[in-house]
């Protein structure tokens, strides 16, 4: 089990090095935070999100992509397949990170599961509808995010940055920016954060509250507080460019939200296979009635993500933050806001999408508004190529590794 835990840590490490750039890439690129500050902030929030709220996505990935019912008579086959998933997805994420390419860890894991399932049970074992949805998401996500980012940035450019007195107009827009920021990110983060308080007030105190009242009240109070704080900062600001300085603060807050949400969501990509393996070893059966995630597995995934970000994360952060277009805090803020909006829309439609795809699309959308010549298309070509081949490469790697593992296991 120690070797398997190391493999899960290996996947989480590479996931942290690659995917956490989604949270902090634009903030570092726009100079809202330094690389060291980004690593510390993202490390804390990614770990917290992973440990507190990572079980839901982990259970989905562990039981929904490869149907456990197909492996009822052969649970050892499912276990060997999950070992192949850990190795293949970790290897591909490492290769992509070494090249500085932001790819989707979700797509890597889904491709790996499809690959071993094909070898183990045949082509009919693959959920082709899920693969089709991923393909649709790959096409639509960057397009939608780019449109949303271009819209947000056009508004800020038109009504704030290009005005004769941008500081005065920013003061008028602060309440709206605060409400938009906390509305979009609050839908992702606040329900999870306030869930324990809501449960306590309803079950223990006996208050008759709709479940959404606490998040709405918290978000409204936070928006008012952020508005008052921002006005105070502008009134007492002595720096040369107070407009971009305030946008840097907004962008940092949005990056914190993304980091927390990313940790709670994407940690499942690293630890779901380990959770399935652990279940099979404990019960000698497949998890077809749900999957209980031991806390040590969540902690292992959180530590792996943080270690990967700290040691190797700067390569992909540089790609997103500096090698597509030059970013200012105002443009970086719009890119992150567009990313969150796109992910929310996709979640409502049930489309499996990638934060990496959304953020790159958002950055490109900003570039289209600023100046088409400012976009470094050579970087985009490399990123797009990595996106296209992630699922098939992961599937081929997983199929090959599973075949080798099964051959070794059966020869004993």
């Amino acid at each position: 089990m120690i070797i398997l835990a190391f493999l899960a840590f290996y996947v989480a490490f590479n996931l942290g090095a690659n995917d956490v750039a989604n949270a902090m890439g634009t903030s570092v690129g726009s100079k809202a935070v330094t690389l060291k500050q980004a690593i510390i902030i993202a490390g804390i929030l990614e770990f917290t999100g992973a440990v507190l709220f990572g079980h839901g996505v982990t259970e989905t990935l562990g039981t929904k992509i490869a149907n456990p019912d197909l492996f009822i008579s052969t649970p050892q086959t499912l276990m060997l397949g999950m070992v192949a998933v850990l190795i293949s997805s970790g290897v591909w994420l490492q290769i992509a990170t070494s090249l500085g390419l932001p790819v989707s860890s979700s797509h890597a894991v889904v491709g790996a599961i499809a690959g071993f399932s094909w070898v183990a049970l045949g082509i009919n074992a693959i959920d082709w509808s899920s693969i089709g949805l991923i393909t649709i998401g790959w096409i639509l996500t960057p397009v939608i995010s780019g449109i949303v980012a271009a819209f947000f940035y056009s508004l800020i450019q038109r009504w704030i940055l290009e005005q004769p007195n941008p500081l005065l107009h920013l003061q008028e827009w602060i309440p709206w920016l605060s409400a938009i920021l906390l509305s979009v990110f609050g839908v992702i983060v606040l329900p999870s954060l306030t869930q324990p308080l809501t449960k306590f007030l309803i079950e223990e105190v006996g208050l008759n509250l709709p479940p959404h009242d606490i998040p709405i009240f918290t978000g409204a109070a936070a928006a008012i507080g952020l508005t008052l704080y921002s006005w105070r900062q502008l009134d007492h600001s002595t720096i040369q460019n107070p407009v971009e300085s305030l946008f840097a603060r907004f962008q940092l807050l949005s990056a914190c939200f993304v980091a927390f949400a990313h940790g709670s969501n994407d940690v499942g990509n690293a630890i779901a296979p380990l959770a399935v393996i652990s279940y099979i070893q404990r019960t000698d059966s497949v998890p077809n009635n749900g999957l209980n995630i031991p806390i040590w597995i969540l902690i292992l995934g959180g530590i792996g993500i943080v270690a990967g970000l700290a040691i190797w994360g700067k390569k992909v952060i540089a790609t997103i933050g500096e090698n597509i277009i030059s970013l200012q805090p105002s443009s970086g803020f719009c890119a992150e806001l567009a990313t969150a909006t796109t992910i929310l829309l996709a979640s409502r439609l049930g489309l499996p999408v990638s934060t990496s795809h959304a953020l790159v699309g958002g950055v490109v959308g900003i570039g289209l508004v600023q100046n088409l010549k400012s976009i470094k298309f050579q970087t985009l070509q490399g990123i797009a190529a990595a996106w296209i081949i992630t699922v098939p490469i992961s599937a081929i790697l997983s199929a090959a590794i599973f075949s080798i593992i099964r051959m070794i296991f059966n020869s004993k």
Side-chain angles (χ1 to χ4, degrees):
M1 195 64 187
I2 294 177
I3 296 175
L4 297 174
F6 174 78
L7 285 175
F9 179 87
Y10 170 68
V11 178
F13 179 92
N14 287 297
L15 187 151
N18 195 291
D19 263 20
V20 180
N22 300 330
M24 288 295 167
T26 53
S27 297
V28 174
S30 69
K31 307 298 189 292
V33 293
T34 65
L35 179 62
K36 184 177 180 180
Q37 290 171 333
I39 289 173
I40 293 172
I41 294 168
I44 294 171
L45 292 171
E46 290 272 346
F47 180 81
T48 306
V51 173
L52 294 181
F53 303 108
H55 57 276
V57 175
T58 303
E59 182 176 355
T60 298
L61 281 170
T63 59
K64 303 298 183 186
I65 306 300
N67 186 356
D69 291 337
L70 299 175
F71 297 91
I72 287 178
S73 59
T74 56
Q76 293 298 322
T77 301
L78 179 59
M79 185 173 74
L80 295 178
M82 288 301 175
V83 173
V85 169
L86 285 174
I87 298 172
S88 57
S89 55
V91 166
W92 172 241
L93 286 173
Q94 182 176 356
I95 292 171
T97 304
S98 67
L99 298 173
L101 298 174
V103 297
S104 169
S105 58
S106 304
H107 293 186
V109 171
V110 170
I113 292 174
F116 98 79
S117 299
W118 191 334
V119 173
L121 298 172
I123 193 171
N124 293 327
I126 299 175
D127 188 347
W128 289 105
S129 61
S130 295
I131 301 297
L133 284 175
I134 287 173
T135 304
I136 294 172
W138 174 76
I139 297 170
L140 291 181
T141 301
V143 174
I144 295 173
S145 182
I147 292 171
V148 174
F151 172 73
F152 280 142
Y153 188 67
S154 295
L155 286 179
I156 288 176
Q157 198 176 49
R158 168 70 177 84
W159 296 105
I160 299 175
L161 301 179
E162 294 180 349
Q163 292 296 318
N165 189 344
L167 187 60
L168 178 63
H169 286 81
L170 177 59
Q171 288 178 321
E172 296 174 355
W173 271 82
I174 280 175
W176 298 105
L177 292 174
S178 300
I180 292 171
L181 172 66
L182 289 163
S183 295
V184 173
F185 287 99
V187 172
I188 300 173
V189 178
L190 285 179
S192 298
L193 284 177
T194 59
Q195 187 179 21
L197 176 61
T198 303
K199 186 176 180 180
F200 173 78
L201 291 175
I202 293 175
E203 296 182 0
E204 302 297 332
V205 180
L207 294 179
N208 186 19
L209 290 173
H212 54 262
D213 274 11
I214 296 296
I216 289 176
F217 174 79
T218 306
I224 293 171
L226 181 59
T227 298
L228 295 176
Y229 171 79
S230 301
W231 277 338
R232 179 180 173 83
Q233 290 296 309
L234 284 180
D235 288 340
H236 294 82
S237 179
T238 58
I239 59 177
Q240 188 173 6
N241 192 343
V243 173
E244 289 294 347
S245 176
L246 186 67
F247 272 116
R249 296 176 186 273
F250 274 72
Q251 187 185 4
L252 177 59
L253 183 59
S254 67
C256 290
F257 281 133
V258 173
F260 183 88
H262 180 269
S264 62
N265 190 288
D266 278 25
V267 70
N269 297 328
I271 64 174
L274 179 62
V276 173
I277 293 168
S278 174
Y279 182 95
I280 295 172
Q281 286 192 334
R282 290 197 315 268
T283 65
D284 199 30
S285 62
V286 298
N288 54 354
N289 293 318
L291 184 61
N292 183 33
I293 318 296
I295 186 66
W296 71 266
I297 292 182
L298 289 170
I299 292 174
L300 177 73
I303 293 173
I305 285 176
V306 174
L309 167 66
I311 295 172
W312 215 16
K314 61 183 180 181
K315 291 184 72 71
V316 178
I317 285 178
T319 296
I320 287 184
E322 301 171 4
N323 295 342
I324 299 177
I325 63 169
S326 297
L327 289 168
Q328 297 293 322
S330 54
S331 54
F333 169 71
C334 291
E336 288 182 359
L337 201 60
T339 299
T341 304
T342 304
I343 298 300
L344 277 176
L345 290 172
S347 299
R348 295 299 182 199
L349 296 172
L351 286 174
V353 296
S354 163
T355 311
S356 304
H357 294 192
L359 191 58
V360 170
V363 172
V364 173
I366 300 294
L368 293 175
V369 174
Q370 289 181 337
N371 184 358
L372 187 62
K373 294 180 180 178
S374 68
I375 301 174
K376 300 173 184 176
F377 286 99
Q378 187 174 359
T379 302
L380 289 180
Q381 289 173 358
I383 293 173
W387 288 355
I388 293 171
I389 65 175
T390 289
V391 171
I393 285 289
S394 299
I396 293 169
L397 277 173
S398 179
I401 293 169
F402 174 74
S403 299
I404 294 170
I405 293 175
R406 184 170 62 173
M407 191 183 307
I408 295 172
F409 187 82
N410 289 338
S411 65
K412 292 183 177 180

